[in-house]
Amino acid sequence: MLGVTDLPTYLVGLVLIVLLPGPNSLYVLSVAARRGIRAGYSAAAGVWCGDTILMVLSAAGVASLLQANELAFGIVKFAGAGYLTWLAIGMMRAAWSLWRARHERADAVAATSAPSSSPSSSPTPAERPYRRALVISLFNPKAILFFISFFVQFVDPGYAHPALSFVLLGLLANVASALYLSALIFGGTRLAAGFRRRKRLSAGMTSAAGALFLGFAVKLSLSSA
């Protein structure tokens, strides 16, 4: 079908890959838990657009360029690792603000009710979930290499229009991603009310997310073409 071979195997592999935790899905879950469904889907839209761009670049041969040009790969790699580190630091600062708000409210609930909400909400207006998720997706050269190395296994080399094969495979990948991220978004919003009531839990989860982002940054910086 449109030059795609062994479609059942591709779908099985796609499901397993989508379910693997990564910075994109973690960020979408974090946004949905903190800001609700609309913000969660805004972040998810950034993921979908970023993945689509990477798929197009992969089909156009950019992956081969990155794999052959060590300097280009290194520039994109370290830029992505730096951005993930910056996000992790922001999460750690947000967690510290939550801890401070918790202790202040424990000292005087009535006097600190307004200030206690400001540390957790102050970063919100400046946060742009779509743009952040898009940048996280784009600054990941390993994703470009993955798309071409995974997709090419299921493209018939004798098919006259291989671009159509890439389009079909990419469309299926985005559908799987949409279903998975939707589950994370609705699951995250159910956790949101509990996080707002329990500052300790919210701070702990935010710290854990920041630590994971640091781990993703280290893993990306140590990767090789």
Side-chain angles (χ1 to χ4, degrees), residues 32-100:
R34 289 183 286 111
R35 300 182 55 185
I37 294 177
R38 176 178 292 185
Y41 271 109
S42 179
V47 173
W48 298 327
C49 290
D51 286 348
T52 299
I53 292 173
L54 293 182
M55 292 174 194
V56 172
L57 292 177
S58 299
V62 174
S64 298
L65 173 63
L66 287 179
Q67 198 165 20
N69 191 326
E70 187 174 345
L71 176 61
F73 181 87
I75 292 174
V76 179
K77 176 181 70 175
F78 286 112
Y83 187 75
L84 290 177
T85 301
W86 180 75
L87 288 179
I89 293 174
M91 290 182 177
M92 295 296 187
R93 293 178 61 186
W96 175 248
S97 296
L98 288 170
W99 275 105
R100 288 175 54 191

Side-chain angles (χ1 to χ4, degrees), residues 154-176:
F154 303 96
V155 175
D156 184 0
Y159 187 63
H161 305 286
L164 293 179
S165 305
F166 274 92
V167 169
L168 177 59
L169 295 174
L171 179 62
L172 293 174
N174 272 337
V175 169

